[in-house]
Amino acid sequence: MEFAELIKTPRVDGVVLHRPFMPTVEGTLCLTGHHLILSSRQDNTEELWLLHSNIDSIEKRFLGSLGTIIVKCKDLRMIQLDIPGMEECLNIGSSIEALSTLDSVSLMYPYFYRPMFEVIEDGWNSFLPEDAFKDLEAMTDEWRLSEVNRDFRVCTTYPPLVAVPRDVDDDTLRKAAGFRHGGRFPVLSYYHKKNGMVMMRSGQPLTGTNGRRCKEDERLINATLRPGKRGYVIDTRTISVAQQAKARGGGFETEANYPQWRRIHKAIERSNVLQDSLVKLVEACNDQSHSMDRWLSKLEASNWQTHVKEILTTACLAAQCIDREGASVLVHGTEGTDSTLQVTSLAQIILDPACRTIQGFQGLVEREWLQAGHPFAQRCSMSAYSNSKPRHEAPGFLLFLDCVWQVLRQFPCSFQFTEQLLVLLFEHAYASQFGTFLGNSAAERVRLSLPEKTVSLWSWVNRPQEIDHLSNPLYEPNSLVIWPSVAPQSLLLWEGVFLRWNRSPRCQEEAHEEMVHIIEYNKELQNKVNSLRRQLAQLETQEPPLQTP
Amino acid sequence: MEHIRTPKVEQVRLLQRRAGQRKPLLGTLYLSATHTIFVENHPETRRETWVLHSMVSGLERPPGGPTGSQLVLRCKDFRVFHLLFPLERDCVEVHASLTRLSRPESYSELYCLSINPNTNQEEREKSWSLVLPSQDYQRMGLPNNLWVATAANSEYKMCDSYPAQLFVSRWASPAVLMGSSRFRSRGRLPVLSYFHQDTLAAVCRCSQPLSGFSGRSEEDEQMVTAVMKANPGSDFIYVVDTRPRLNAMANRAAGKGYESEDHYGNIKLHFSGIDNIHVMRSSQQRILDVGEQRTPSMSDFLLGLENSGWLKHIKAVLDAGVFIAKAIADEGVSVLVHCSDGWDRTAQACSVASVLLEPYYRTMKGLMVLIEKDWVSFGHKFSHRYGHLDGDPREVSPVLDQFLEVLWQLAQQFPCAFQFNERFLLDLRTLAYSCQDGTFLGNSEKERRSLRLQERSFSVWSRLWRDREKYWNPLYRAEQSQTQGVLRPNTTPYCFKMWKGLYSPAETPAPPAQTPVDFLSSVREGSQQLEQQLANQQEVADALRQRVRFSFWRELSEL
């Protein structure tokens, strides 16, 4: 076994662990292939079980023969281990570094993890495209499920089944795929039941500098328009970025070739810029010595809140085109696997009440992120503390979750789930015992046999006790379209993630418990009143009703 | 009324953006002795907008256009009304009338004194007895063997901005009181503000000493020693000068200043660095501008927030309170608090510390009595600070606003600790400016007494107490607030947010979302009704059961 070679010192006694908001623990540190474990071997103190894959970076310090390792996690937590003995400390440090940066997917923990809970419903089958299509079929017959990508040849990042206009044949799709970045031809993302308008997504058209066109691509997207109606192309890039893309073979839909479409450019930033923002933001949040002025200027300089605002604004724009203008929309950026998905998924949160339920939100993440080919393995391999230069890392999914949190905070009664579900998805996207977020696309997941060899996160989430834990006590189904305010005054820093380890959660937890208590008490009373009413009815049948109540 | 030149103008357009309004309303504008009233023409809604003249903080006449003449009405609660008059003459007349009406020259012109409260004498008297500082001293177990009441100021002769009822250290003789008062700015000698029953430490307040560079007063030094002696548990006290150190030093040149640790042998000096009223006034104007920006970028907003300095000042006020609360609760050391005159920053620091230390002050009644004691009775100059009368604009400053905002920031961190909600703080703030009641009128207890306010007006507290259901925080649990005991807030800069409800209420989602407070309040109300229903049903069921049992026995006996 290769793990054993990497573990030079598997066990050290007398290690002291410091964690935020928890008492320090002294105990034995053990390294296994996948976990860093610290146990005091006493019943009353909680053990630490940390996945190596959750470790972003470590920092070693020495004071005499006492070594200290600061472990910085991808969920932004920092813990400190005081290890007696210089050699032990060095060994532990290098083992952690090696074990937390394993290259081979098949050595990842999800392949070794066996669930300690009963799987009621296999999450790998919970959100299949064919099931989602059944809901669509119930609403309209204008769309069909195409198997053109059955073997992932037309588009390596699409799922085997995609929804496309009924009257467009697979040959047309193949040709359109040749004209779109990464073969990502326009497919259905969302059908707005209220007025039959749709949102599609794709990669950028490959017009290049000489203005290439593709009749099939034009036919494909025009097929989604009602007679005499115009649609909107929302390009998540600024016009100048889109212009520059032409030199590399990309481009955008020109008025001449797409006369029925109005193009709008927005300015959502690209991966490396976002990663840089995350690093700056987390750095600012972790420095408690800042003065107010310095904190605000660091927060501003990180640009994180600017990204949140831009993404939400673009999602509102897409939703507005569909709901208010009664127009169909095509969304794309460059590859169509990042900013595009942020916009299409958030627009659905705004438009579709079903996406605001616990199941519906999982379905949305499955459809618009996992199936749609957001490269999770690349994007989430490192987080804010990583020392190495980012290559493909970017917190695009975290930004999406942040935006959902902003909407949830503005509509605290319209979501079936609490912030906890969003935090949970953030954690598992970066490090998990489940296979859900492994791989970069549906094709890779098949190749890695994830459904057969690993457990799905959804299998765990969709158990009654977990659902209960994630439920929002204030939830009242709201069938309306909800428009969040995107003014900077309305957008806050997501404390639940960025200040999670800097502030004690106790008071917020108490408030949550109190909410649950108020609502449970009301239900209890309701039940008592109902049962007493039944008893009364029974009593009344035994004896003629009283003359005076 | 002689100041109203035009009582009524028709076909006026009114736009209020802060309320999220996009299109102007068409209607009729009326000027009364106390209010500007706008009634919408629309026959179905006929919406009415009332603005108290005393709430108007500014009037502007921007250049008119072809559609008419404009008048912009700015209010002290930050509402802004844009009025458009078809005729310039009307606009000029209304402008002139309101300019005079919004700047009353004497108290008797104010709303609360222009109505006749004699109609309900009993209710009026009851309203003034609802909240009394004396009740609070009693609650703290005073007088006791450490702190005693003194009659030295019963005629306001020793200090005209202090209340008649004062509690001082048992070890301070009348001569020491007199001498100390003479050595303090405006005679504001060290007296008790809050007594902590658990540790026997006390928060005391005063104004700066008239020490200059080397002046000293034996009596004042004895007075400070007496404060220390009143706390058997410690051999020194903290003197918290809430000003920035530089300001305090500059005051020495004017014969004032701060206590020298050499002269007062048993003190430790601490500066809190809260800026003066002029800095605060312009800072609030800047954060207000930030809140009212039409379509700012995120950077505009965050840089604007930083440049306003507002949150920095809020943090300084809270930090001062935290320092005092820690000294009292953790170290058991008494604290003497002052600034320059001891009626602005001192009031803030003492009352913030009291709220942190004492769960009672986190209830509605408790906050009322705290403000009545630390602010109203101790001569916080309400009429000057909140511009009740036409006067020196340099006297106006949002001192109470900052205290209320600190409470709001605390409630963000401790959602279950306060009995009241945000609405309570906002309405309380408005009432401090609007003078609808007598409580906040004038600048000292002496002045209020000479105005005979208790005979001529109502107390503000009965108004708020009457609406208490509206102000209830559904998450509040008395026991929880008790167990939390001393609040220990995190004051790292990232814990402070812009108070959107005050500075930027127009930016809301659509459709307006129900707040957790509203939602939970209605659930609680529902639960109360169910409890009632359950009790009624239980009664009916018991009666029925008894009849069934009775008829069963009857049938049995007939067998």
Side-chain angles (χ1 to χ4, degrees):
Chain A
M1 189 63 221
E2 304 162 53
F3 292 134
E5 291 161 24
L6 298 173
I7 304 169
K8 293 174 193 153
T9 304
R11 231 186 93 160
V12 188
D13 289 322
V15 174
V16 180
L17 163 74
H18 307 267
R19 283 182 284 186
F21 309 111
M22 286 185 165
T24 52
V25 180
E26 187 180 338
T28 304
L29 177 75
C30 297
L31 290 186
T32 71
H34 294 110
H35 285 97
L36 182 157
I37 304 159
L38 191 127
S39 165
S40 66
R41 298 174 192 246
Q42 279 161 0
D43 295 337
N44 51 357
T45 49
E46 219 188 313
E47 295 179 329
L48 170 77
W49 282 74
L50 186 69
L51 266 179
H52 292 316
S53 59
N54 191 1
I55 297 173
D56 213 20
S57 69
I58 62 166
E59 219 178 273
K60 283 169 287 198
R61 272 189 235 140
F62 291 96
L63 194 74
S65 66
L66 181 76
T68 292
I69 297 182
I70 312 261
V71 180
K72 301 179 178 182
C73 303
K74 291 177 186 163
D75 61 14
L76 309 183
R77 173 174 34 162
M78 275 199 240
I79 59 177
Q80 183 184 328
L81 298 165
D82 297 339
I83 302 171
M86 172 109 61
E87 195 190 334
E88 283 83 353
C89 186
L90 283 169
N91 283 347
I92 295 284
S94 60
S95 297
I96 294 176
E97 273 169 345
L99 290 164
S100 60
T101 50
L102 291 178
D103 268 341
S104 164
V105 180
S106 60
L107 291 180
M108 297 290 217
Y109 185 54
Y111 284 98
F112 298 82
Y113 171 74
R114 292 293 157 261
M116 303 288 279
F117 58 88
E118 190 197 348
V119 175
I120 301 165
E121 185 193 334
D122 185 358
W124 289 112
N125 301 324
S126 294
F127 306 100
L128 298 173
E130 46 270 43
D131 292 338
F133 188 73
K134 275 181 201 135
D135 298 338
L136 180 67
E137 263 182 329
M139 295 185 274
T140 171
D141 59 358
E142 291 165 350
W143 295 81
R144 70 183 182 92
L145 211 48
S146 165
E147 292 187 3
V148 69
N149 199 38
R150 200 173 38 238
D151 45 14
F152 305 110
R153 283 221 192 109
V154 176
C155 172
T156 52
T157 57
Y158 271 172
L161 294 170
V162 287
V164 295
R166 179 179 201 88
D167 304 331
V168 176
D169 60 26
D170 283 357
D171 251 0
T172 308
L173 297 178
R174 273 188 207 100
K175 286 188 179 124
F179 182 65
R180 290 278 173 177
H181 193 117
R184 294 176 69 92
F185 56 91
V187 295
L188 180 76
S189 161
Y190 171 67
Y191 179 85
H192 196 44
K193 196 173 162 187
K194 192 168 124 193
N195 58 11
M197 293 301 131
V198 296
M199 179 161 59
M200 288 173 296
R201 52 179 158 73
S202 67
Q204 65 178 341
L206 303 175
T207 57
T209 39
N210 50 10
R212 211 158 73 91
R213 67 187 286 187
C214 171
K215 291 278 183 199
E216 289 79 7
D217 185 72
E218 291 160 26
R219 184 152 18 103
L220 168 56
I221 70 167
N222 287 339
T224 65
L225 293 176
R226 299 275 161 84
K229 281 270 192 180
R230 273 168 43 121
Y232 288 88
V233 173
I234 296 179
D235 192 325
T236 61
R237 306 163 295 181
T238 60
I239 178 75
S240 67
V241 173
Q243 289 280 10
Q244 286 158 19
K246 281 187 182 172
R248 291 187 297 275
F252 49 84
E253 295 81 355
T254 55
E255 284 79 7
N257 299 342
Y258 297 84
Q260 288 161 280
W261 295 83
R262 227 194 107 197
R263 207 177 63 247
I264 304 172
H265 289 274
K266 299 298 287 182
I268 302 183
E269 286 290 355
R270 293 187 41 85
S271 334
N272 48 348
V273 178
L274 303 182
Q275 184 69 16
D276 190 42
S277 283
L278 176 67
V279 171
K280 282 187 184 155
L281 175 69
V282 171
E283 202 180 277
C285 289
N286 284 343
D287 189 342
Q288 319 233 348
S289 65
H290 285 327
S291 70
M292 184 67 75
D293 287 355
R294 187 143 175 81
W295 154 248
L296 287 171
S297 80
K298 284 230 161 192
L299 177 63
E300 191 275 327
S302 81
N303 269 327
W304 183 266
Q305 295 294 91
T306 302
H307 303 316
V308 169
K309 178 169 154 56
E310 195 59 38
I311 294 166
L312 264 177
T313 307
T314 310
C316 284
L317 173 74
Q320 232 159 10
C321 291
I322 293 169
D323 188 67
R324 297 257 168 101
E325 303 272 315
S328 286
V329 172
L330 170 66
V331 184
H332 70 73
T334 305
E335 294 93 345
T337 54
D338 294 279
S339 59
T340 305
L341 306 182
Q342 289 170 335
V343 174
T344 57
S345 53
L346 279 167
Q348 293 179 55
I349 293 275
I350 293 166
L351 293 169
D352 186 5
C355 292
R356 301 173 215 144
T357 65
I358 295 179
Q359 287 275 337
F361 187 69
Q362 293 170 38
L364 181 75
V365 170
E366 183 72 35
R367 269 194 332 270
E368 291 300 304
W369 289 87
L370 291 160
Q371 299 284 339
H374 178 67
F376 276 98
Q378 289 182 350
R379 296 286 182 264
C380 301
S381 76
M382 280 182 275
S383 174
Y385 298 127
S386 170
N387 299 321
S388 51
K389 225 176 144 49
R391 286 165 304 161
H392 305 291
E393 287 76 10
F397 186 62
L398 176 57
L399 268 166
F400 157 71
L401 296 174
D402 192 330
C403 291
V404 176
W405 177 77
Q406 305 285 350
V407 185
L408 190 153
R409 207 190 56 80
Q410 292 189 26
F411 294 91
C413 306
S414 299
F415 287 78
Q416 194 188 15
F417 51 88
T418 62
E419 177 184 2
Q420 292 311 315
L421 177 60
L422 305 174
V423 176
L424 180 123
L425 289 177
F426 160 59
E427 289 176 338
H428 284 273
Y430 280 84
S432 177
Q433 64 269 48
F434 303 107
T436 300
F437 290 106
L438 289 184
N440 289 304
S441 62
E444 271 193 45
R445 269 173 227 114
V446 170
R447 210 178 61 237
L448 295 168
S449 316
L450 290 174
E452 295 81 34
K453 294 187 177 165
T454 72
V455 182
S456 161
L457 172 63
W458 313 133
S459 302
W460 186 69
V461 169
N462 288 323
R463 295 168 308 135
Q465 58 269 52
E466 202 54 34
I467 296 264
D468 206 41
H469 171 66
L470 299 169
S471 291
N472 175 10
L474 304 178
Y475 179 56
E476 273 193 331
N478 174 0
S479 60
L480 300 172
V481 175
I482 53 176
W483 302 103
S485 158
V486 294
Q489 298 96 310
S490 306
L491 303 175
L492 296 179
L493 177 70
W494 188 9
E495 297 175 4
V497 163
F498 298 110
L499 302 180
R500 182 178 176 194
W501 311 105
N502 300 340
R503 293 178 56 166
S504 162
R506 194 174 59 106
C507 292
Q508 303 300 327
E509 283 166 9
E510 271 175 12
H512 183 81
E513 279 164 26
E514 194 52 46
M515 281 181 203
V516 173
H517 169 77
I518 290 170
I519 285 158
E520 288 299 315
Y521 178 63
N522 184 269
K523 281 185 194 152
E524 202 180 297
L525 280 175
Q526 193 72 59
N527 289 341
K528 274 191 194 160
V529 166
N530 289 343
S531 88
L532 203 58
R533 190 176 292 145
R534 276 194 300 277
Q535 283 181 32
L536 273 177
Q538 249 171 10
L539 283 171
E540 274 165 3
T541 54
Q542 291 174 20
E543 181 69 347
L546 288 176
Q547 296 305 311
T548 50
Chain B
M1 286 290 285
E2 72 264 43
H3 307 308
I4 302 172
R5 304 205 199 164
T6 311
K8 179 179 172 187
V9 186
E10 286 176 345
Q11 301 298 311
V12 175
R13 281 171 207 280
L14 173 124
L15 181 65
Q16 194 197 352
R17 285 210 193 85
R18 201 176 141 90
Q21 203 186 321
R22 300 260 162 80
K23 283 186 202 148
L25 305 173
L26 188 63
T28 307
L29 189 79
Y30 299 90
L31 291 188
S32 82
T34 55
H35 289 87
T36 303
I37 306 153
F38 178 87
V39 184
E40 187 192 5
N41 281 352
H42 200 282
E44 275 168 35
T45 45
R46 307 256 324 149
R47 227 177 323 165
E48 291 180 10
T49 308
W50 290 61
V51 182
L52 254 180
H53 294 326
S54 57
M55 280 309 276
V56 176
S57 60
L59 292 156
E60 293 154 35
R61 278 194 56 210
T67 45
S69 301
Q70 269 197 74
L71 181 65
V72 180
L73 202 73
R74 293 186 180 274
C75 296
K76 294 170 183 171
D77 57 5
F78 307 141
R79 284 181 298 172
V80 180
F81 298 97
H82 290 258
L83 293 160
L84 189 69
F85 295 86
L87 296 175
E88 191 181 0
R89 185 174 44 90
D90 288 331
C91 184
V92 171
E93 299 268 274
V94 169
H95 181 236
S97 307
L98 278 176
T99 302
R100 178 61 189 85
L101 290 165
S102 64
R103 289 181 204 154
E105 282 157 6
S106 74
Y107 290 123
S108 55
E109 286 178 42
L110 286 169
Y111 177 69
C112 62
L113 296 186
S114 60
I115 52 166
N116 184 2
N118 277 330
T119 46
N120 201 335
Q121 193 184 339
E122 193 190 336
E123 203 182 304
R124 195 190 71 234
E125 282 166 5
K126 228 174 87 188
S127 97
W128 284 103
S129 62
L130 183 72
V131 167
L132 297 168
S134 57
Q135 295 162 346
D136 199 43
Y137 291 118
Q138 241 168 44
R139 193 191 53 78
M140 291 189 249
L142 300 177
N144 58 18
N145 57 354
L146 303 169
W147 296 93
V148 293
T150 172
N153 202 40
S154 57
E155 301 295 325
Y156 307 109
K157 291 218 174 94
M158 191 167 64
C159 171
D160 63 0
S161 59
Y162 262 6
Q165 184 186 33
L166 292 174
F167 283 85
V168 293
S169 165
R170 188 165 71 80
W171 285 268
S173 68
V176 166
L177 295 182
M178 219 45 200
S180 171
S181 169
R182 256 184 252 119
F183 191 65
R184 293 276 169 181
S185 195
R186 300 183 195 264
R188 294 171 69 94
L189 71 159
V191 298
L192 182 102
S193 165
Y194 173 72
F195 177 69
H196 194 57
Q197 282 165 297
D198 297 344
T199 61
L200 306 183
V203 180
C204 296
R205 61 184 294 170
C206 59
S207 60
Q208 63 185 338
L210 303 173
S211 55
F213 288 102
S214 59
R216 42 195 302 189
S217 150
E218 201 179 317
E219 288 94 341
D220 192 59
E221 287 163 27
Q222 283 170 3
M223 185 73 200
V224 171
T225 305
V227 169
M228 183 204 76
K229 278 189 182 160
N231 177 7
S234 97
D235 55 3
F236 75 97
I237 66 167
Y238 284 108
V239 172
V240 171
D241 189 328
T242 57
R243 300 169 292 185
R245 185 189 290 266
L246 273 178
N247 298 23
M249 283 164 75
N251 261 292
R252 292 203 293 190
K256 299 165 190 172
Y258 53 91
E259 295 79 355
S260 146
E261 285 184 352
D262 295 337
H263 298 164
Y264 296 77
N266 38 29
I267 64 162
K268 284 188 186 170
L269 203 55
H270 173 87
F271 291 94
S272 302
I274 305 175
D275 276 308
N276 66 28
I277 57 168
H278 312 296
V279 174
M280 301 307 189
R281 179 176 53 245
S282 62
S283 174
Q284 189 182 45
Q285 186 52 52
R286 285 199 297 269
I287 193 179
L288 199 55
D289 294 342
V290 170
E292 284 181 355
Q293 286 175 343
R294 293 296 294 283
T295 46
S297 72
M298 188 54 84
S299 292
D300 293 341
F301 171 71
L302 289 172
L303 292 177
L305 202 58
E306 181 191 338
N307 291 334
S308 78
W310 183 254
L311 290 179
K312 178 174 69 191
H313 300 314
I314 296 295
K315 174 171 155 55
V317 174
L318 179 55
D319 278 333
V322 169
F323 179 88
I324 299 166
K326 273 190 182 156
I328 301 284
D330 298 349
E331 295 183 59
V333 175
S334 291
V335 184
L336 178 61
V337 188
H338 70 72
C339 45
S340 298
D341 290 319
W343 50 44
D344 293 316
R345 290 170 272 199
T346 300
Q348 289 177 332
C350 290
S351 47
V352 169
S354 299
V355 168
L356 296 175
L357 287 165
E358 174 66 59
Y360 175 64
Y361 295 133
R362 302 172 211 147
T363 64
M364 275 183 242
K365 267 280 184 65
L367 182 65
M368 291 178 186
V369 81
L370 182 67
I371 292 176
E372 182 71 36
K373 175 169 68 74
D374 276 1
W375 296 73
V376 178
S377 89
F378 272 104
H380 175 65
K381 304 199 290 173
F382 278 92
S383 278
H384 284 165
R385 295 293 176 260
Y386 311 113
H388 293 163
L389 299 183
D390 190 22
D392 183 359
R394 285 175 46 82
E395 281 284 331
V396 176
S397 188
V399 185
L400 183 71
D401 297 30
Q402 291 183 318
F403 170 59
L404 297 176
E405 177 162 341
V406 166
L407 296 181
W408 180 82
Q409 302 278 3
L410 284 172
Q412 302 302 298
Q413 282 194 42
F414 303 99
C416 302
F418 293 89
Q419 190 188 36
F420 44 83
N421 59 30
E422 179 183 11
R423 190 76 257 154
F424 186 69
L425 299 174
L426 287 169
D427 284 2
L428 185 52
R429 181 192 175 276
T430 300
L431 289 167
Y433 282 84
S434 70
C435 274
Q436 280 156 280
D437 303 287
T439 304
F440 296 133
L441 219 64
N443 295 306
S444 66
E445 189 177 290
K446 184 184 178 194
E447 194 180 357
R448 269 184 287 277
R449 207 161 276 189
S450 69
L451 283 168
R452 294 182 299 108
L453 285 177
Q454 304 214 356
E455 294 156 43
R456 297 166 69 194
S457 68
F458 281 85
S459 151
V460 75
W461 306 124
S462 58
R463 176 193 296 271
L464 287 163
W465 188 243
R466 193 182 57 214
D467 293 337
R468 58 188 175 278
E469 277 305 314
K470 182 167 89 177
Y471 300 130
W472 190 272
N473 168 17
L475 293 177
Y476 174 69
R477 276 284 166 277
E479 321 87 65
Q480 228 153 351
S481 183
Q482 291 288 351
T483 53
Q484 280 171 352
V486 179
L487 294 187
R488 295 172 193 285
N490 185 337
T491 64
T492 317
Y494 52 58
C495 295
F496 295 82
K497 293 175 219 150
M498 181 169 93
W499 189 1
K500 192 166 165 295
L502 181 58
Y503 295 110
S504 188
E507 294 299 342
T508 52
Q514 203 172 22
T515 64
V517 167
D518 291 344
F519 182 88
L520 292 168
S521 295
S522 71
V523 172
R524 271 195 52 210
E525 221 170 275
S527 292
Q528 278 160 7
Q529 283 167 10
L530 284 171
E531 277 167 359
Q532 189 59 46
Q533 207 178 333
L534 205 57
N536 293 345
Q537 282 182 349
Q538 200 70 53
E539 245 173 69
V540 178
D542 288 345
L544 269 175
R545 277 203 198 92
Q546 216 155 20
R547 277 187 59 134
V548 170
R549 211 174 297 134
F550 176 71
S551 62
F552 171 75
W553 284 112
R554 200 179 53 200
E555 280 167 31
L556 206 64
S557 64
E558 280 169 7
L559 278 175

